[in-house]
Amino acid sequence: MTAAVIPLWRPVDDEPLFVPELLHGPDAVGSALRDRIVGYLAQVAAARQAPLHTCTAFNALHFGYDLEYRGYRAEVLDPSLFVPLRPADTARPPLPVGTFVRIDRGGARELWAEVVARWGADSRVDADGWLPAALSGAPMPAPGGEPAVVSERVVLDMEAFGAPLTSTERAELHRLRRRGTLLDARGHLTDDITYPPGSPDARDDLAGYARHLLTVARPLLVGGPLGGLLTNPDDDRLLSAAVHQALATIADLLDHAAGLRRWQHYAVTQEPTAGHDRLSPAPEVLDDIVRDLSRTGPVPRHTAVWPLVAARIGEHHDPLELTGAATVIIHLNLAVADLATGAAPTGGTHLRIDDAWQAGGVWRSQRLPVPAEVLATNPLVPLGLGHHPAPDSGDTAPPAESEPAHGPLLPPADGRPEPAEKDEQAAEESDEPAGHDTGKDHFTDVTVADSLLVFTVALRESCWADGELPLPAAAHGVLADGTLLVELHHDGDVLDDADRLHHVQHTSDVLHGIAWPWTFYTGIKLTVAAARGARRLTVTTTLLDEPLPFGEEYRWDADTAMLAASLGLPAPARTTAAGDQPPNPDPDEPSPGTQGSRLRGVEQLDGLIITAVRRHGTTGAFGARRMTGPQLMAALFGPGLTDPPLLRHIIYTCERLAATGQLTREPGAGRADQPGGTGPDTFVWWPNDTARDQARRHTEQSPVQLLLRGAVREHWVPPFARRLPDGYRASDTARRTYAAWIRQTRGPDADTALPDGYTFVRGGPRGSLSDGSWLKLAADAVEGRTLP
């Protein structure tokens, strides 16, 4: 069924569309009811001059957006309960999408509006769209116990309560825009907002609006259909569960609505409707903006949408004024999304959304190759790689005072730090340049813990040509006899099986039989992990933040002196940073392999474990990857290996990574793709903090349907105000009942007068109020009319 054949729903004439099924999840909404709800929302999206957000779709269903009136009925909603905005106020509260506001200039005609869009407006975003990478995906506010100030742009729909505006309302709006004391010249609220401790992330409008409905707007909420559907709307837990479930159900309905396109939580019609077409970017402007968004350089580039559009405004018309801003930004992001998902070639550039909130959206462009995990993730899911870079993504993480710039380095197995000058001294004693292929191998970070061996070595030219991998002395007695399997992982490239898997033989100091891929070059650093008796070794490279100085093809961590010598170039000047020095060993800290290492595992396994979970883990919701300890041991060292001490090291390392937030732990998962059960613990890698938070909320909400079971009136039409036919007036009984209902839901100080032209209908079974019998109970005839 299409939106064109859906009967027009009239909120104050027909039974409510906010039905019990919305509180039981999308699976409870039957096909006929789904068609009615989705058809109505599609009609609202086509009629309004702003995109339909999940929160404003909730409002349309719950508070009743009248398509004939082209707005909400303020007389039913009571604008005195809206959030007041006054030009004299020095601060205003957070206003998530969906919030009803009341602009009051003190005696002048009030303006009522609905928040229909909201984005970050950080001053660090330049006029050409550039912004610091660390701002892209940054939580707003940052986690912590202190209040935080966030710059925002809020788009208001001034015609949400009836369109078009009257001449008086237009004059008042023009005055506010001209004076700039509350609204800016475009008619938007652009302020610095203080978020108190414990506030939801400013980027999450659903969480923010749910909190708003449960606190500031609670009288409006419980006085509407949702309050009438609950057996006990005064139960805070029950009310919260109902709000979150309704928002989740509506979001799912919009995701699958024919005729609508979704950008994050915004929905627009497939084709711009009358009035919207003039707001869509012209093809030449769109092409220009897309070129700016897809530009890149040696490192990933993050570019914001809003300033690129604002810089191309014509002289005679500003499409970013009032609700046009929301329409333009959403349609533009959808156009770029088509490019990012393969609708057009990207010219060797990987393009993805990185932050959907800041400055109308921040797109991340990066030259190929990119890490396989980033490439495999939906480019329309914001990962926040600028602020929370995935390992080897090429982005630079924000500096942290607690860690060196390049991450902690491990002391060797004996606990003593290697002198920083060791390689330089060796070079001075040799007639060859530092790192030249002299036949000497400089192993670093060699860790031996029980039956585990991990080390790093730079690939020599002769080893690349001969298909060899040198082994440190510590490998003696660790590797199994006979043929072994070497599995190569080259970050930034997806290797086929011929390049990835190699069957090799070994002597005491070298592996033979590796056909090194052409992307491995002299000097590239390899991290190798092996277990005693295992028949599989894992060899991994690391993608750098930016290419080495010898050319863009040299993108992976390498011994630069060895690489320069192989190219016949002078060795690059050595730079020493704080992060290049191994930490001073703590004499009280036990060495790897001792009982005290239970609390930390083996640090050198960190990167290998995270890489293995990302590559081999079972895919779950929100882009998660899951593996148990035994699965990790099999992925790293081959199946069939029985080695309890090694398994303990892997699990201890995973536990430490979970304690530091790099993984999460699900006790007794049983199955890697299903939390809960009685099996071994599962360790989960998340693509970003947003995905982790979404999963946490999803887990927290998983008992919601159990909580709501038995607490929702089934097949019930909640009490609501209904418009009377001409010639009728509300009965005294209806007025008294309405007054009692209002005092119960909105408090003792609420206006209990029933609006003229309306009556109040008690709740009842679905269908019982559609035959006109409600008139006998709720209305009296006037002007000689007789009751049916």
Side-chain angles (χ1 to χ4, degrees):
M1 183 178 289
T2 64
V5 299
I6 295 294
L8 190 69
W9 178 60
R10 300 166 301 173
V12 292
D13 295 275
D14 303 327
E15 293 183 1
L17 273 183
F18 199 94
V19 291
E21 288 85 346
L22 295 176
L23 306 184
H24 293 306
D27 292 339
V29 183
S31 58
L33 179 58
R34 179 184 293 265
D35 286 342
R36 286 191 62 209
I37 293 175
V38 170
Y40 165 71
L41 292 176
Q43 291 170 339
V44 173
R48 298 194 66 168
Q49 295 296 307
L52 187 67
H53 191 276
T54 300
C55 296
T56 56
F58 175 96
N59 287 351
L61 290 168
H62 189 265
F63 299 114
Y65 186 91
D66 194 324
L67 289 164
E68 293 178 321
Y69 180 70
R70 291 189 62 190
Y72 301 99
R73 297 281 182 169
E75 62 269 25
V76 176
L77 283 175
D78 189 1
S80 66
L81 299 174
F82 298 174
V83 176
L85 299 177
R86 301 178 181 88
D89 292 344
T90 57
R92 64 169 176 82
L95 299 175
V97 175
T99 305
F100 293 140
V101 299
R102 170 170 48 89
I103 299 176
D104 181 6
R105 288 208 316 118
R109 169 70 164 85
E110 291 183 341
L111 288 176
W112 306 320
E114 180 186 26
V115 177
V116 293
R118 190 176 61 92
W119 295 292
D122 198 286
S123 59
R124 288 172 288 178
V125 180
D126 285 353
D128 64 354
W130 181 92
L131 74 160
L135 183 59
S136 180
M140 298 286 175
E146 297 295 326
V149 178
V150 178
S151 298
E152 295 182 357
R153 176 182 301 277
V154 172
V155 179
L156 302 174
D157 184 1
M158 299 293 182
E159 295 184 330
F161 292 87
L165 295 179
T166 65
S167 58
T168 302
E169 291 168 335
R170 286 198 303 271
E172 184 65 21
L173 176 58
H174 178 71
R175 187 179 298 111
L176 288 168
R177 294 172 60 181
R178 186 181 70 249
R179 293 185 177 181
T181 53
L182 180 66
L183 304 178
D184 65 12
R186 289 190 165 107
H188 305 156
L189 294 168
T190 49
D191 293 310
D192 291 338
I193 307 302
T194 300
Y195 281 79
S199 298
D201 192 323
R203 300 169 299 173
D204 190 343
D205 274 300
L206 263 62
Y209 191 51
R211 179 169 180 160
H212 172 77
L213 288 172
L214 294 167
T215 53
V216 177
R218 183 173 180 135
L220 281 173
L221 179 68
V222 297
L226 188 144
L229 289 173
L230 297 178
T231 57
N232 183 13
D234 295 325
D235 185 328
D236 292 343
R237 225 167 130 248
L238 185 63
L239 189 63
S240 175
V243 169
H244 283 95
Q245 182 61 71
L247 285 167
T249 302
I250 293 169
D252 185 88
L253 294 178
L254 288 173
D255 283 340
H256 300 92
L260 294 179
R261 294 199 66 192
R262 288 273 269 170
W263 173 248
Q264 308 303 322
H265 275 289
Y266 296 91
V268 294
T269 54
Q270 291 279 11
E271 298 295 335
T273 55
H276 286 188
D277 50 353
R278 65 182 179 85
L279 299 174
S280 299
E284 62 275 10
V285 174
L286 177 61
D287 291 344
D288 194 22
I289 292 175
V290 169
R291 278 195 296 271
D292 283 347
L293 290 172
S294 57
R295 285 185 303 162
T296 189
V299 297
R301 178 183 175 88
H302 300 79
T303 310
V305 169
W306 179 272
L308 295 183
V309 180
R312 291 163 171 83
I313 298 303
E315 297 181 3
H316 304 294
H317 174 65
D318 184 357
L320 295 180
E321 66 178 358
L322 302 175
T323 57
T327 302
V328 169
I329 295 301
I330 300 308
H331 277 288
L332 177 59
N333 275 303
L334 284 171
V336 183
D338 289 339
L339 178 72
T341 53
T346 56
T349 297
H350 179 64
L351 185 64
R352 66 174 307 113
I353 188 70
D354 199 54
D355 185 331
W357 182 78
Q358 187 62 252
V362 178
W363 288 85
R364 176 185 184 273
S365 57
Q366 180 181 9
R367 290 179 188 170
L368 298 175
V370 298
E373 290 70 31
V374 175
L375 196 62
T377 307
N378 185 346
L380 306 187
V381 175
L383 297 181
L385 293 176
H387 188 79
H388 300 289
D392 313 328
S393 67
D395 296 271
T396 303
E401 297 179 0
S402 59
E403 291 186 3
H406 301 292
L409 299 178
L410 295 177
D414 61 4
R416 296 190 302 272
E418 291 283 356
E421 299 83 6
K422 180 176 179 181
D423 290 341
E424 292 178 337
Q425 291 174 353
E428 291 175 0
E429 295 170 1
S430 172
D431 295 333
E432 301 290 342
H436 184 63
D437 191 3
T438 61
K440 299 177 181 179
D441 296 301
H442 299 284
F443 299 97
T444 59
D445 298 342
V446 179
T447 298
V448 181
D450 293 333
S451 57
L452 173 68
L453 170 67
V454 185
F455 64 92
T456 299
V457 64
L459 185 63
R460 290 188 281 113
E461 185 175 5
S462 60
C463 290
W464 189 96
D466 297 338
E468 297 179 344
L469 176 66
L471 298 172
H476 180 69
V478 172
L479 301 182
D481 295 331
T483 301
L484 303 178
L485 179 67
V486 171
E487 183 172 0
L488 302 181
H489 293 295
H490 199 15
D491 279 321
D493 279 350
V494 178
L495 300 177
D496 57 29
D497 287 348
D499 287 335
R500 184 172 59 89
L501 301 174
H502 305 264
H503 292 87
V504 301
Q505 303 292 326
H506 71 96
T507 61
S508 59
D509 60 351
V510 68
L511 296 174
H512 305 274
I514 302 176
W516 294 105
W518 67 270
T519 49
F520 284 59
Y521 44 78
T522 301
I524 195 168
K525 289 186 178 180
L526 311 171
T527 299
V528 184
R532 186 180 306 277
R535 312 204 70 84
R536 180 192 298 260
L537 293 84
T538 300
V539 180
T540 302
T541 63
T542 302
L543 187 64
L544 292 171
D545 291 338
E546 56 184 275
L548 293 170
F550 307 108
E552 288 190 6
E553 65 271 27
Y554 301 106
R555 293 175 175 268
W556 290 271
D557 190 18
D559 182 321
T560 53
M562 184 183 295
L563 176 57
S566 69
L567 297 172
L569 301 173
R574 180 181 176 86
T575 58
T576 302
D580 292 331
Q581 303 297 331
N584 291 326
D586 184 349
D588 297 325
E589 175 70 16
S591 61
T594 66
Q595 184 177 2
S597 67
R598 172 187 175 90
L599 299 180
R600 73 170 193 173
V602 179
E603 292 182 41
Q604 209 170 350
L605 279 177
D606 289 5
L608 293 171
I609 285 176
I610 291 175
T611 298
V613 177
R614 286 163 45 211
R615 287 195 175 107
H616 304 294
T618 302
T619 303
F622 309 106
R625 295 296 184 100
R626 289 177 163 82
M627 293 188 81
T628 64
Q631 290 172 331
L632 271 167
M633 187 166 73
L636 290 171
F637 306 113
L641 180 65
T642 302
D643 192 330
L646 175 61
L647 180 59
R648 284 198 298 270
H649 281 304
I650 291 173
I651 292 176
Y652 296 159
T653 305
C654 289
E655 289 175 347
R656 178 173 49 76
L657 291 171
T660 58
Q662 298 177 70
L663 298 174
T664 58
R665 177 184 178 189
E666 294 175 350
R671 285 180 54 187
D673 59 341
Q674 303 257 342
T678 58
D681 291 353
T682 292
F683 297 95
V684 188
W685 172 84
W686 303 96
N688 55 48
D689 287 348
T690 300
R692 188 196 310 262
D693 292 342
Q694 287 175 329
R696 175 182 52 77
R697 288 196 300 272
H698 181 76
T699 303
E700 290 172 352
Q701 294 172 21
S702 59
V704 162
Q705 294 186 10
L706 291 176
L707 179 63
L708 291 171
R709 185 176 300 170
V712 179
R713 301 179 192 272
E714 303 295 339
H715 310 294
W716 181 261
V717 176
F720 68 109
R722 195 164 203 169
R723 187 165 53 190
L724 285 167
D726 293 340
Y728 290 91
R729 65 188 175 191
S731 67
D732 291 340
T733 300
R735 294 178 188 277
R736 288 193 298 270
T737 305
Y738 176 78
W741 172 253
I742 286 296
R743 281 192 292 268
Q744 178 186 354
T745 58
R746 299 183 183 176
D749 298 327
D751 183 2
T752 59
L754 189 60
D756 292 339
Y758 293 85
T759 189
F760 183 70
V761 181
R762 295 174 181 268
R766 186 181 299 172
S768 64
L769 305 176
S770 59
D771 59 358
S773 60
W774 58 273
L775 281 174
K776 298 179 181 180
L777 302 176
D780 294 328
V782 295
E783 299 177 1
R785 287 183 178 265
T786 58
L787 291 172

